[in-house]
Amino acid sequence: KNRIQKLRDEISRLRNLYHIENTPNITDEVYDSLTRELKGLLEKYPGYVDQNSSLNRVAGKPLDKFKKVEHKHRMLSLNDAFNFEELEDWGNRVKKLLGGKKEIQYFCEVKFDGLAVSLVYENGIFVRGATRGDGFVGEDITENLKMINSIPLHLDTKKYNIPDELEVRGEVLMRKDVFKKLNVKQEKEGKPVYANTRNVAAGSLRQLDPQLVKERKLDFFAYDMFVHEGNDVFIKHSEEHVYLKNIGFNVDNHDAVCKD
């Protein structure tokens, strides 16, 4: 039991270094050997199997269709500004909504070009993932999202203060280097190449076969969160980013708090 727990903790730590911190400190061979040892022990002692372990990131049978999911909080999309005047108009509307407050802090972050999704965790366990859909109702793509290594299947409730029900929102995307390799593979097999990373990321998540999603090596970046049982934990959006990174999510570092 102790060895199984030690292996789980180490594999989780290494997964975080590789997929979240982007600073792997061991070879793939070492990681694979730890994973093999854990699998062997669990086969020998099935009573210690944890269905929510990242070891169970195994693609199941293809789905017949996606079920509909109603969002507890509407999933909005961002407005565009095409020139400085439109940005100023937006700034004036913000000040008006805040009762004419003059000094405001702005949080600037990157707009990803992927597919927006919602992840719901109950007691630290990933239980449901959905697309934005029309903002009110999306599609349940939980099994597909489980195939993305940068999405934690469970959060460390002992180490961190994790709400009983936490909703994390973010973007699923495909990195450029993965995209290039995929198109090389497509060309070799005589198949059409993909036009851009967004289309292939979104298209992958709309597949009914989780195994295909696993092969596409998609990534997830978190940028927002909701706590459902009460008021949100943080007042500032920048604090949410820090919290999300601390509990094990990819959060882009290109951000800034600005005074104007």
Side-chain angles (χ1 to χ4, degrees):
K1 181 182 177 181
N2 290 339
R3 181 59 181 168
I4 286 171
Q5 190 55 53
K6 189 173 182 179
L7 285 166
R8 277 186 176 138
D9 291 344
E10 182 62 5
I11 289 168
S12 178
R13 184 184 74 83
L14 295 172
R15 184 203 72 86
N16 191 72
L17 283 174
Y18 187 91
H19 295 287
I20 308 303
E21 302 294 339
N22 207 22
T23 55
N25 63 351
I26 60 163
T27 63
D28 289 347
E29 287 76 15
V30 174
Y31 184 88
D32 290 341
S33 81
L34 293 173
T35 304
R36 277 197 304 273
E37 183 185 350
L38 179 55
K39 283 180 178 178
L41 284 172
L42 292 175
E43 286 173 5
K44 194 173 180 181
Y45 304 101
Y48 295 122
V49 170
D50 179 5
Q51 295 302 323
N52 297 305
S53 167
S54 58
L55 198 65
N56 294 321
R57 217 180 278 268
V58 180
K61 293 180 181 179
L63 305 172
D64 294 326
K65 62 179 180 179
F66 294 120
K67 296 177 182 176
K68 299 295 182 184
V69 175
E70 188 173 341
H71 300 299
K72 286 192 176 182
H73 294 271
R74 184 183 176 190
M75 286 189 74
L76 301 169
S77 57
L78 297 177
N79 286 335
D80 293 320
F82 294 99
N83 53 54
F84 190 71
E85 288 70 27
E86 290 184 9
L87 185 63
E88 278 191 314
D89 289 342
W90 170 79
N92 291 331
R93 288 198 301 275
V94 169
K95 289 177 181 178
K96 190 175 181 181
L97 287 167
L98 293 175
K101 188 177 179 181
K102 291 184 178 179
E103 290 189 10
I104 298 172
Q105 282 190 329
Y106 300 90
F107 185 72
C108 303
E109 59 183 301
V110 170
K111 166 67 174 73
F112 289 112
D113 197 22
L115 186 74
V117 298
S118 159
L119 314 176
V120 176
Y121 290 80
E122 293 178 357
N123 300 311
I125 305 300
F126 176 47
V127 295
R128 191 178 70 247
T131 62
R132 178 167 56 201
D134 64 0
F136 297 98
V137 177
E139 290 182 312
D140 187 331
I141 55 169
T142 306
E143 295 308 310
N144 284 353
L145 291 171
K146 281 182 177 179
M147 297 301 103
I148 300 175
N149 282 314
S150 48
I151 292 180
L153 299 184
H154 63 90
L155 306 173
D156 192 340
T157 55
K158 293 180 180 178
K159 188 175 181 181
Y160 301 105
N161 180 24
I162 308 292
D164 292 343
E165 187 174 0
L166 173 69
E167 181 178 355
V168 177
R169 291 183 178 174
E171 202 92 355
V172 172
L173 48 85
M174 177 176 278
R175 294 178 186 270
K176 284 185 178 179
D177 58 336
V178 176
F179 177 70
K180 288 175 182 175
K181 289 177 183 176
L182 178 62
N183 268 344
V184 168
K185 181 173 179 284
Q186 290 289 108
E187 284 183 327
K188 282 183 178 178
E189 295 175 358
K191 298 176 182 177
V193 296
Y194 295 100
N196 57 63
T197 55
R198 188 204 178 278
N199 286 359
V200 69
S204 299
L205 285 182
R206 295 287 295 112
Q207 299 292 322
L208 292 169
D209 187 358
Q211 181 62 40
L212 189 144
V213 180
K214 189 173 185 177
E215 292 169 3
R216 292 284 167 85
K217 297 180 180 179
L218 301 174
D219 264 305
F220 174 79
F221 281 82
Y223 51 62
D224 202 3
M225 55 175 276
F226 290 97
V227 178
H228 290 312
E229 69 265 24
N231 295 326
D232 280 350
V233 181
F234 305 113
I235 296 172
K236 294 181 179 179
H237 190 50
S238 54
E239 294 173 336
E240 292 182 336
H241 275 228
V242 173
Y243 176 78
L244 287 166
K245 185 170 181 62
N246 285 342
I247 64 174
F249 287 95
N250 258 336
V251 178
D252 189 69
N253 293 322
H254 296 90
D255 57 35
V257 176
C258 304
K259 293 182 179 179
D260 59 31

